[in-house]
Amino acid sequence: MESGLSLTWEYRTLIDELTQGMEKAKQLHFHLCSTTSSPSEAQDLLVQRILSSYEKALLILKWRGSVGPAQVTAPASGLPESSVSVDGSPRSDDLNKNFKDHQECSASKKRKVQPTWTEQVRVNSENGLDGPTDDGYSWRKYGQKDILGARYPRSYYRCTYRSVQNCWATKQVQRSDDDPTIFEITYKGTHTCNQSTTTVPPPASPEKQESKHNSHQTQQQNQALLNFKANLKVSTENLDSNVTMPAQFSFPSTYTENHDFLINDHLGGYSQLFLSPATSETNYFSPATYHMQNFGGNHSYQHSNLILLR
DNA sequence: CTCATTTGACCAGC
DNA sequence: GCTGGTCAAATGAG
């Protein structure tokens, strides 16, 4: 109990610190942009890296907060309630057995209550669309559809660990009609798999691709977290409503109020540089970002984001 | 051989 | 009936 309380407070403080740090980094970037009409690519990249690190750390905390000791109230709405077990007892037999049933439940009704948010990602075509998808999550494409009124087909991805870890996160990638270099990525559901956000090694048969990515990602994230913890300076000032819920992620006010401006101009690299390993021309893109865990509430969350890839 | 992608078919919601 | 979302067999890549 006591530990739960202190952990809750600790999460809150950590999140607050990270949020502030990210704000400062964004301000720095803004300052760079305003003072020097065009910051050098190195500067830009550096800021993006910093932001990315903060972002990762925040997400790690969110994840921890959602499954950690604080045992925050089950996100009854945000996740498929029936079978998402965050306690790590996947019961794979049952999973497979109940796969259809679960589909029937989650695919039809629960899909609507899953947290949903959208990111717009711009890719520099010169850099090509192939490259490491180093987002910490691995996705498997399961469908592609021509969408009415859209010039480009929409691709559907789900978490590779769907059956193994009962992770029901999905995403849709839609290339923009107006600007073909922009991909609109809609994420649905949150990752319940422990890839990328935990140190738990993959189960019996580690998939080469993921393990390669994950080890790197996990290292980075853990490093960020460790560094942060090491330098943690407890401060409760400015503990505002943004960080009242450890398991919920609230974008800083500047995000939510000015996200178009800020994200477009200052939050490039929101998660990381990532490009798709896909080579097929119909398989445009397989980017992914770190997923916010437990946006909480019954409302589906929508967030728009523009990521510039250089 | 294993795993990911492709793609036509199916299903549910509007 | 139309459209978007998902399934699953076929196919390809490593």
Side-chain angles (χ1 to χ4, degrees):
Chain A
M1 305 182 197
E2 193 178 334
S3 60
L5 277 177
S6 70
L7 278 170
T8 299
W9 175 84
E10 188 180 347
Y11 280 126
R12 197 179 303 170
T13 309
L14 286 170
I15 288 167
D16 185 47
E17 285 292 327
L18 287 174
T19 303
Q20 286 185 46
M22 196 158 65
E23 286 294 316
K24 300 291 181 274
K26 284 189 298 184
Q27 287 173 16
L28 177 62
H29 193 196
F30 179 71
H31 191 65
L32 277 174
C33 289
S34 57
T35 53
T36 64
S37 57
S38 58
S40 75
E41 221 166 294
Q43 290 173 325
D44 199 41
L45 187 64
L46 199 58
V47 174
Q48 288 179 16
R49 291 268 171 83
I50 294 170
L51 287 171
S52 175
S53 293
Y54 277 118
E55 191 63 35
K56 286 179 198 171
L58 274 169
L59 290 170
I60 291 168
L61 283 176
K62 300 307 167 188
W63 170 257
R64 293 295 191 186
S66 65
V67 300
Q71 200 71 9
V72 183
T73 56
S77 54
L79 296 170
E81 67 230 22
S82 57
S83 55
V84 172
S85 62
V86 292
D87 58 7
S89 55
R91 298 182 309 179
S92 56
D93 286 344
D94 286 347
L95 292 182
N96 292 332
K97 205 185 305 174
N98 297 330
F99 187 77
K100 277 288 181 185
D101 291 338
H102 186 99
Q103 276 305 103
E104 287 170 11
C105 292
S106 63
S108 56
K109 294 167 185 172
K110 291 174 187 173
R111 188 187 305 154
K112 291 178 180 175
V113 298
Q114 285 184 336
T116 300
W117 65 100
T118 302
E119 290 182 359
Q120 292 181 340
V121 178
R122 175 176 296 163
V123 270
N124 185 339
S125 58
E126 284 184 7
N127 288 343
L129 296 177
D130 50 343
T133 306
D134 206 4
D135 69 326
Y137 291 109
S138 61
W139 301 93
R140 172 178 294 188
K141 187 175 183 177
Y142 65 88
Q144 180 171 302
K145 263 297 224 197
D146 285 324
I147 302 302
L148 199 71
R151 194 181 312 168
Y152 304 98
R154 178 178 299 167
S155 297
Y156 300 89
Y157 297 84
R158 65 175 161 231
C159 180
T160 303
Y161 298 106
R162 181 176 200 162
S163 57
V164 178
Q165 296 188 26
N166 200 24
C167 179
W168 295 88
T170 63
K171 71 172 179 180
Q172 301 173 0
V173 178
Q174 175 74 60
R175 193 171 200 167
S176 171
D177 282 346
D178 299 331
D179 187 349
T181 64
I182 292 180
F183 292 83
E184 192 169 285
I185 307 168
T186 302
Y187 294 93
K188 293 185 176 179
T190 54
H191 277 275
T192 58
C193 60
N194 57 12
Q195 61 168 324
S196 103
T197 51
T198 72
T199 54
V200 177
S205 63
E207 301 171 51
K208 329 108 198 173
Q209 171 187 341
E210 281 89 18
S211 61
K212 194 173 57 181
H213 287 163
N214 291 345
S215 59
H216 181 60
Q217 279 304 107
T218 307
Q219 265 186 345
Q220 280 190 327
Q221 291 165 353
N222 286 342
Q223 188 65 48
L225 184 59
L226 287 173
N227 287 344
F228 177 75
K229 280 184 176 174
N231 297 320
L232 178 63
K233 178 180 61 182
V234 176
S235 166
T236 55
E237 62 180 353
N238 296 332
L239 228 174
D240 58 26
S241 60
N242 285 334
V243 291
T244 52
M245 297 282 286
Q248 286 185 335
F249 186 90
S250 300
F251 279 94
S253 56
T254 42
Y255 271 36
T256 52
E257 290 168 10
N258 301 318
H259 63 271
D260 283 339
F261 167 74
L262 279 170
I263 288 165
N264 285 353
D265 292 340
H266 304 295
L267 195 62
Y270 164 69
S271 65
Q272 203 170 17
L273 304 186
F274 48 74
L275 290 167
S276 172
T279 53
S280 163
E281 57 185 357
T282 59
N283 195 11
Y284 299 111
F285 196 57
S286 179
T289 67
Y290 294 94
H291 281 208
M292 319 307 168
Q293 298 293 335
N294 303 331
F295 280 95
N298 291 328
H299 55 283
S300 85
Y301 179 85
Q302 291 246 1
H303 172 66
S304 199
N305 205 347
L306 180 63
I307 298 174
L308 298 176
L309 297 180
R310 295 167 175 265

